[in-house]
């Protein structure tokens, strides 16, 4: 069975990926979620969509 990609990145995972503290990762995710809310999307506290996270930090183009 093929391993599927996770839909959301948690603050703990973001902290490891970015090399920052968990508290700062929560602050980053809060900001990304505010951007998504401004675009009309619903968000989950403490998590952000993996595609959006990758677009913002790694420059991958994602159509939303």
């Amino acid at each position: 069975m093929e391993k599927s990609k996770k839909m959301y990145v948690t603050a703990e995972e973001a902290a490891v990926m970015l090399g920052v503290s968990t508290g700062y990762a929560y602050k980053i995710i809060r900001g990304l979620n505010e951007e998504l809310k401004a675009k009309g999307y619903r968000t989950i506290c403490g998590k952000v969509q993996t595609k959006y996270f990758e677009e913002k930090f790694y420059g991958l183009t994602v159509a939303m």
Side-chain angles (χ1 to χ4, degrees):
M1 187 172 224
E2 185 178 319
K3 185 178 179 181
S4 62
K5 193 171 186 180
K6 290 179 64 172
M7 190 170 191
Y8 292 95
V9 174
T10 65
E12 291 80 12
E13 293 168 338
V16 171
M17 285 189 258
L18 300 174
V20 298
S21 70
T22 305
Y24 190 67
Y26 274 108
K27 185 175 183 178
I28 290 169
I29 287 177
R30 196 174 313 121
L32 293 174
N33 280 337
E34 287 177 13
E35 291 176 14
L36 287 169
K37 282 181 186 177
K39 293 181 179 182
Y41 293 95
R42 293 186 182 247
T43 62
I44 298 173
C45 293
K47 296 181 179 183
V48 69
Q49 287 185 331
T50 301
K51 290 180 181 181
Y52 193 68
F53 179 84
E54 289 174 348
E55 176 185 338
K56 288 298 196 173
F57 283 94
Y58 302 117
L60 303 175
T61 303
V62 178
M64 290 186 82

